[in-house]
Amino acid sequence: MTGTTTVAPGTAAQAPGVENTTMTLAAAINRGLRKALEDDPKVVLFGEDIGALGGVFRITDGLQKDFGDQRVIDAPLAEAGIVGTGIGMAMSGLRPVLEMQFDAFSFPAYDHIVSQMAKLHYRTEGHLNLPMVIRIPFGGGIGSPEHHSESPEAVFAHHAGLRIMAPGTPHDAYWGIQAAIASEDPVIFFEPKRRYWMKGEVKTDPAARGSFGPASGAVVRRPGEDVTLVTYGPLVPTALDVATAAQDDGVSVEVVDLRVISPVDIDTVVTSVRKTGRLVIAHEAPTSFGVGGEIAARVGEKCFYDLEAPVIRVGGFHTPYPASRSEHHYLPDVDRILDGIDRALEY
């Protein structure tokens, strides 16, 4: 794990002579995939409608046209078949990047992911690597129907052998997808779908790459003194809005972006909590049995005498994801997270 890093939202340290490019998170992933295809002929994209259509969110737009249908391959509507084929590709020396059209569509492939993809390296005593990536658009906020707005990151993080990434800025999306593809370990790359159209600065020069990869540490997006707010993926912009709103009330919030869910960088979180004495964790997934619970338990073990208040979790509810007209009640927003901060400050 890397140590604590403080960066401005969506940026890395500026290298001399490096210009920033403003692009959406979707465009950043597209550019990152393009760069990986250019740099390594073993990289192959495989998924439903990713070719001529460019994917349901147009993330792979233009890639089949430029790299051909032997490297950007339209797959049948069969997620288990996609992942099973991808495992075979990786075993044969390729670096497949698979796309699940939506988060819950990954569940038909669950057995392949957790029984084969996650475990083959261990079962072969390290003799077999599976350098493969599964891209999963996740989370809510776009008015989708049933099975299109899940947050299953904790389900997959529970299984050893998988690296779980969730970028919250275009810069991290651009460099993160490339690092995931270059990894010798299997990676699940969760893409916050409601942030696909969010714009931010991306430094595409290798000198400004930064440190985001499958084993990277968390970053402090905004320093603060009174309470630590930990999040990742789609709630990173929301957390920054919370910090701004809290500042108007005289409360200084430190925002920590996990970026990698597994293996999680608990050291950066602990360093922040020891400074502020309070911790609020926010994610779209249900709070029950979630990533927030894992962070809370670890902080409880390491910071028992530093905490001035109980750890507060703010997340989705322990219900199926609601119909689109009701999702604004389900998703954590600025007010709900501010309420969590208020509860932490009551002690």
Side-chain angles (χ1 to χ4, degrees):
M1 280 297 171
T2 61
T4 304
T5 306
T6 303
V7 298
T11 67
Q14 179 72 35
V18 174
E19 296 295 331
N20 299 346
T21 301
T22 299
M23 65 180 76
T24 64
L25 192 142
I29 299 172
N30 179 280
R31 288 275 293 271
L33 291 170
R34 177 177 293 275
K35 189 68 167 60
L37 287 163
E38 290 172 347
D39 290 348
D40 189 345
K42 297 189 296 295
V43 174
V44 177
L45 311 189
F46 189 50
E48 299 167 8
D49 298 322
I50 68 169
L53 181 64
V56 70
F57 293 104
R58 305 300 185 265
I59 304 301
T60 54
D61 189 40
L63 297 181
Q64 188 181 76
K65 174 179 175 292
D66 293 340
F67 294 95
D69 60 8
Q70 297 301 301
R71 296 193 65 196
V72 182
I73 306 168
D74 280 315
L77 301 180
E79 286 77 16
I82 291 171
V83 177
T85 301
I87 292 170
M89 289 177 172
M91 292 174 68
S92 301
L94 297 175
R95 290 184 175 271
V97 182
L98 316 178
E99 179 184 306
M100 303 285 104
Q101 279 194 342
F102 287 90
D103 27 53
F105 294 2
S106 62
F107 295 145
Y110 182 79
D111 182 37
H112 284 319
I113 294 171
V114 305
S115 298
Q116 306 301 329
M117 181 176 161
K119 294 182 173 65
L120 275 174
H121 182 75
Y122 179 84
R123 284 165 46 198
T124 61
E125 297 183 338
H127 292 290
L128 181 63
N129 292 325
L130 288 181
M132 59 185 297
V133 178
I134 299 180
R135 294 179 41 245
I136 302 180
F138 83 124
I142 65 169
S144 291
E146 189 178 12
H147 307 310
H148 290 68
S149 298
E150 305 291 330
S151 296
E153 57 269 25
V155 174
F156 295 111
H158 181 75
H159 297 277
L162 300 172
R163 296 188 181 271
I164 313 295
M165 302 172 66
T169 69
H171 182 86
D172 277 356
Y174 174 76
W175 287 110
I177 190 62
Q178 295 179 67
I181 295 169
S183 172
E184 293 301 317
D185 297 318
V187 177
I188 296 183
F189 195 80
F190 280 106
E191 301 169 5
K193 68 168 83 78
R194 69 166 156 144
R195 303 300 183 188
Y196 273 147
W197 303 277
M198 174 185 71
K199 291 185 177 181
E201 292 181 349
V202 178
K203 300 179 181 70
T204 58
D205 189 287
R209 174 173 181 163
S211 62
F212 187 45
S216 290
V219 293
V220 177
R221 295 288 179 196
R222 176 168 173 158
E225 301 295 332
D226 297 326
V227 60
T228 298
L229 175 56
V230 171
T231 191
Y232 54 86
L235 287 190
V236 171
T238 306
L240 294 170
D241 290 341
V242 167
T244 299
Q247 186 177 33
D248 294 339
D249 293 329
V251 177
S252 177
V253 177
E254 180 149 297
V255 177
V256 177
D257 177 2
L258 289 180
R259 305 197 296 174
V260 177
I261 296 169
S262 181
V264 68
D265 174 15
I266 199 63
D267 293 338
T268 294
V269 177
V270 165
T271 298
S272 179
V273 171
R274 284 177 175 162
K275 178 175 69 170
T276 67
R278 292 173 171 84
L279 173 61
V280 176
I281 309 162
H283 51 59
E284 287 191 13
T287 55
S288 302
F289 314 104
V291 174
E294 175 68 18
I295 300 294
R298 294 201 193 190
V299 168
E301 291 171 357
K302 294 176 178 289
C303 300
F304 184 79
Y305 293 105
D306 302 289
L307 286 167
E308 302 290 340
V311 177
I312 305 296
R313 292 175 292 161
V314 182
F317 305 114
H318 197 52
T319 68
Y321 195 87
S324 59
R325 290 185 180 181
S326 301
E327 66 180 351
H328 63 284
H329 295 297
Y330 181 93
L331 294 171
D333 58 10
V334 170
D335 288 339
R336 278 181 58 196
I337 299 174
L338 282 173
D339 178 70
I341 289 173
D342 287 342
R343 284 185 283 147
L345 293 171
E346 287 175 356
Y347 292 85

